[in-house]
């Protein structure tokens, strides 16, 4: 069965000096009918004033677990080098329980050097960060299997990135959702590479949901035809304007067959 289209929103925790602005945006997004609410795992703004207001990712996810009722939620994505992976697994399990089983564990290798330098993490190289991500995914998987009580469900793992030799191999082995930033031509190529990695690992690549940022209606249609089913609109503080999100939700409701409604 073809996956139904899902629409996410990434409420970027930047330039909102009052956390109430973020809390209100989460409420408005859930009321609008979004499927997933994401934040991101950085310590400083990625755009606009680099000295602007910013909040931390995982404490915020704990608050969202209590605030929301229906949506799934998570980080797009957690920095793989910022937390001990066994601790991160326990954090994820706890937030999973608080929310009644709605957390998505998004994770990536990390890339924003200022985060590392300012908070005292070793930035390393792309290769060393990917090596650490590989080790972290194995430890997270093991720890989730030993916690008491266990998670309420299999916590979906979202891996962000598009490196063909290493990242997509990790996606094939561990991910339930693959998030990339590719246009339709590049996506088709990388999707083929992912399928090859999955075949080599003896994994079922059909279990992996394909995810990209919202590219606009026309490009979304092409990417959907190529296999993407999760599209995420990014919005920043302080206003958190959801106009584009509502347009994406309208498109979702036009695309999804009636028989699939309610499965997103």
């Amino acid at each position: 069965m073809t996956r139904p289209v899902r629409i996410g929103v990434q409420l970027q925790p930047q330039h909102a000096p009052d956390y109430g602005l973020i809390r209100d945006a989460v409420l408005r997004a859930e009321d609008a009918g979004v499927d997933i609410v994401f934040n991101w795992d950085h310590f400083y703004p990625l755009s606009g004033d680099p000295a602007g207001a910013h909040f931390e990712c995982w404490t915020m996810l704990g608050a969202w677990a209590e605030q929301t009722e229906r949506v799934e939620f998570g980080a797009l994505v957690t920095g793989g080098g910022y937390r001990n992976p066994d601790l991160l697994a326990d954090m994820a399990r706890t937030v999973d329980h608080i929310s009644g089983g709605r957390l998505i564990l998004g994770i990536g290798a990390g890339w924003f050097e200022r985060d590392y330098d300012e908070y005292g993490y070793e930035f390393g190289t792309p290769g060393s960060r990917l090596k650490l991500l590989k080790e972290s995914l194995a430890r997270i998987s093991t720890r989730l299997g030993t916690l008491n009580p266990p998670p309420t469900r299999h916590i979906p793992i979202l891996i962000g990135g598009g490196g063909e030799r290493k990242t997509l191999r990790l996606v094939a082995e561990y991910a339930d959702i693959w998030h990339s930033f590719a246009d339709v031509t590049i996506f088709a190529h990388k999707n083929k590479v992912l399928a090859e990695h999955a075949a080599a690992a003896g994994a079922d690549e059909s279990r992996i949901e394909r995810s990209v940022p919202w590219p606009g209606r026309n490009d979304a249609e092409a990417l959907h035809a190529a296999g993407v089913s999760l599209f995420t609109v990014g919005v920043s503080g302080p206003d958190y304007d959801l106009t584009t999100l509502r347009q994406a939700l309208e498109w979702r409701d036009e695309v999804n067959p009636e028989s699939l409604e309610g499965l997103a």
Side-chain angles (χ1 to χ4, degrees):
M1 182 176 67
T2 302
R3 290 180 183 270
V5 169
R6 302 201 293 169
I7 298 295
V9 63
Q10 184 187 53
L11 301 176
Q12 301 160 359
Q14 60 178 7
H15 307 307
D18 177 355
Y19 179 73
L21 296 168
I22 297 175
R23 183 188 300 112
D24 175 70
V26 173
L27 176 63
R28 290 188 287 120
E30 186 167 45
D31 286 349
V34 74
D35 297 296
I36 306 171
V37 181
F38 292 110
N39 60 8
W40 67 28
D41 190 20
H42 295 286
F43 308 127
Y44 298 94
L46 298 187
S47 61
D49 181 2
H54 202 283
F55 286 104
E56 193 274 332
C57 167
W58 271 88
T59 44
M60 186 181 300
L61 293 180
W64 289 5
E66 286 283 8
Q67 177 187 351
T68 58
E69 297 179 355
R70 175 188 56 79
V71 293
E72 289 189 295
F73 63 96
L76 188 60
V77 291
T78 303
Y82 297 161
R83 298 167 189 83
N84 174 287
D86 292 87
L87 172 61
L88 179 60
D90 203 344
M91 292 164 59
R93 180 279 307 255
T94 301
V95 174
D96 166 71
H97 273 265
I98 295 169
S99 69
R102 293 181 288 114
L103 177 73
I104 293 171
L105 177 51
I107 191 167
W111 62 273
F112 190 41
E113 188 169 3
R114 184 185 180 191
D115 284 344
Y116 290 81
D117 292 346
E118 296 271 8
Y119 276 61
Y121 298 111
E122 181 181 351
F123 186 57
T125 65
S128 68
R129 294 194 298 276
L130 280 167
K131 181 176 183 292
L132 181 60
L133 176 61
K134 180 179 180 180
E135 295 169 355
S136 295
L137 285 165
R139 288 175 60 180
I140 288 167
S141 178
T142 298
R143 180 60 58 186
L144 286 172
T146 65
L147 293 169
N148 182 20
T152 66
R153 64 169 181 168
H154 167 73
I155 298 175
I157 292 178
L158 179 155
I159 296 178
E164 296 179 16
R165 292 191 302 111
K166 296 180 180 179
T167 303
L168 292 183
R169 188 179 303 159
L170 294 175
V171 171
E173 185 174 354
Y174 290 102
D176 301 283
I177 306 170
W178 166 46
H179 185 78
S180 73
F181 294 87
D183 62 23
V184 66
T185 301
I186 296 174
F187 173 82
H189 168 70
K190 290 185 181 292
N191 198 36
K192 181 180 178 182
V193 173
L194 174 58
E196 291 169 353
H197 280 308
D204 178 12
E205 60 91 15
S206 67
R207 81 182 194 283
I208 304 169
E209 185 172 17
R210 274 64 165 178
S211 167
V212 298
W214 173 250
R217 186 184 186 99
N218 291 339
D219 287 342
E221 291 176 356
L223 282 159
H224 180 230
V228 176
S229 59
L230 174 56
F231 298 86
T232 297
V233 177
V235 294
S236 180
D239 296 331
Y240 294 106
D241 183 349
L242 301 185
T243 301
T244 301
L245 174 65
R246 293 188 178 91
Q247 294 168 355
L249 291 170
E250 290 176 1
W251 176 77
R252 176 201 66 186
D253 294 343
E254 293 173 9
V255 170
N256 281 344
E258 184 177 353
S259 61
L260 296 180
E261 287 182 1
L263 296 182

